[in-house]
Amino acid sequence: MSNLDRQAALSVCGGRGFVVAEPVRELLSPRRVQLGESTEVRRLLPNLGRRMVGAWAFVDHYGPDDIADEPGMQVPPHPHMGLQTVSWLHEGEVLHRDSTGSLATIRPRELGLMTSGRAISHSEESPRTHARFLHGAQLWVALPDAHRNMEPHFQHHTELPTVTAPGLNATVILGALDGVTSPGTAYTPITGADLTLARGAELGLPLDPDFEYAVLSMSGEVHVDGVPVLPGSMLYLGCGRTELPLRAESDAGLMLLGGEPFEEELIMWWNFIGRSNEEIVQARSDWMEGARFGEVKGYDGGPLAAPELPPGQLKKRGRVR
């Protein structure tokens, strides 16, 4: 998914200087962003108070939206570099096309994982004949320096491993949880899991104390370590936890995001993650000139134009403002 904000803000992130080294309960409120004509997303990362959770650098939550009489998601071809995109649905379908020739329809609880490497472009759209409701999340994972210039590729995993407990079914999307590992290729120590809780469930979810974590609420009402987390909000949890207490007040859905704090400092602008002002400027120029990012074939429409760069030099800084 593209950052369609035409006033795309610079986000400087990464580095361990601002990692919270102990358990905390920091509730993050979303910023609302219009995505096309009929889809509004709630942006949780980057946030006014926090830019990353492990290698997770971007989180949008959308829906559930009634798109029975709407075109639904319509995101024209746009570029990415230096990151992985994770497409995750609870309802609906998203048709993915990219410049490597990949074509896939992603359905609920299937992993669409695109590794941009040095450069890729893709489009995302609701199929012409689509389900009534669209509900999901789009997330980006920053690639470490050793892997950020690799060849781009796309993975579609229709079946993923699960972790179960009384009242809980957890699908492991990326990385590992409780000894269970996703087939999706990860390049940093990371956790991404979809948690389905039954009303009345109360349990402790095992965590890695070296990871930092956050929980995104997708649906229902859940108390996370005693804090009510409502749909479309995210609770940042810090590091140092071996277990996460969960109590479901209703049937509910959550996403658990975590990982080792990302050591490298980054620059994120529009749909690019780089390390210097020059990289970002060159990437924008290459996209606008039709170089390097390839062509998305089969999409009915033209590519997105990049927004204007902010004045001055883009500089790397820390993980929080």
Side-chain angles (χ1 to χ4, degrees):
M1 184 177 292
S2 175
N3 177 0
L4 295 185
D5 192 342
R6 302 312 298 170
Q7 304 295 322
L10 162 71
S11 181
V12 283
C13 45
R16 289 180 177 256
F18 292 93
V19 175
V20 179
E22 60 186 6
V24 297
R25 303 173 188 85
E26 182 181 304
L27 194 61
L28 305 179
S29 298
R31 180 168 66 93
R32 296 182 181 273
V33 177
Q34 196 68 30
L35 188 70
E37 296 180 1
S38 57
T39 304
E40 182 185 76
V41 302
R42 291 165 287 280
R43 185 151 298 160
L44 282 309
L45 286 180
N47 193 283
L48 180 62
R50 186 152 302 280
R51 295 190 177 99
M52 295 184 76
V53 178
W56 299 100
F58 180 96
V59 176
D60 274 354
H61 172 246
Y62 54 90
D65 295 324
D66 187 339
I67 59 169
D69 299 318
E70 302 287 345
M73 183 181 293
Q74 298 293 325
V75 183
H78 58 277
H80 287 291
M81 76 170 190
L83 57 91
Q84 293 177 289
T85 65
V86 175
S87 299
W88 190 251
L89 289 169
H90 276 196
E91 296 180 270
E93 310 89 21
V94 171
L95 179 63
H96 165 97
R97 306 175 194 266
D98 68 43
S99 55
T100 71
S102 299
L103 175 65
T105 300
I106 302 165
R107 296 180 173 86
R109 269 81 180 188
E110 297 180 354
L111 172 61
L113 178 63
M114 185 180 76
T115 301
S116 70
R118 57 180 179 78
I120 199 171
S121 57
H122 74 141
S123 64
E124 294 163 294
E125 57 187 307
S126 296
R128 291 183 180 179
T129 302
H130 53 255
R132 177 176 179 178
F133 292 101
L134 180 64
H135 182 204
Q138 183 74 14
L139 312 98
W140 298 353
V141 178
L143 287 170
D145 190 63
H147 298 286
R148 68 191 184 96
N149 290 311
M150 66 166 53
E151 288 297 308
H153 58 274
F154 177 76
Q155 298 175 10
H156 182 204
H157 295 285
T158 59
E159 294 190 12
L160 296 167
T162 59
V163 174
T164 59
L168 168 72
N169 188 80
T171 301
V172 184
I173 302 168
L174 196 63
L177 176 68
D178 197 23
V180 176
T181 302
S182 164
T185 304
Y187 297 94
T188 60
I190 197 168
T191 293
D194 183 86
L195 313 180
T196 300
L197 293 119
R199 180 178 182 178
E202 190 165 359
L203 67 147
L205 190 67
L207 300 180
D208 185 332
D210 293 330
F211 281 18
E212 60 177 340
Y213 289 96
V215 168
L216 167 66
S217 176
M218 299 287 287
S219 61
E221 183 180 350
V222 179
H223 287 210
V224 180
D225 197 14
V227 179
V229 184
L230 299 178
S233 61
M234 176 182 282
L235 183 68
Y236 176 71
L237 298 162
C239 295
R241 295 176 179 270
T242 58
E243 187 177 81
L244 181 62
L246 300 170
R247 188 177 81 249
E249 302 298 321
S250 67
D251 291 346
L254 303 172
M255 293 189 74
L256 175 70
L257 308 174
E260 281 190 359
F262 201 79
E263 292 191 11
E264 301 169 39
E265 292 188 340
L266 311 172
I267 296 176
M268 186 165 72
W269 178 81
W270 195 42
N271 297 307
F272 307 135
I273 291 182
R275 302 299 189 276
S276 69
N277 178 79
E278 291 72 24
E279 281 185 34
I280 299 296
V281 171
Q282 187 62 55
R284 183 189 185 279
S285 176
D286 288 346
W287 172 247
M288 294 299 289
E289 293 174 5
R292 177 177 158 198
F293 290 94
E295 180 185 359
V296 178
K297 296 181 179 179
Y299 182 83
D300 186 15
L304 281 178
E308 294 298 323
L309 282 160
Q313 292 280 309
L314 308 180
K315 296 180 181 180
K316 295 182 288 187
R317 293 187 177 86
R319 300 166 56 85
V320 297
R321 286 187 176 88

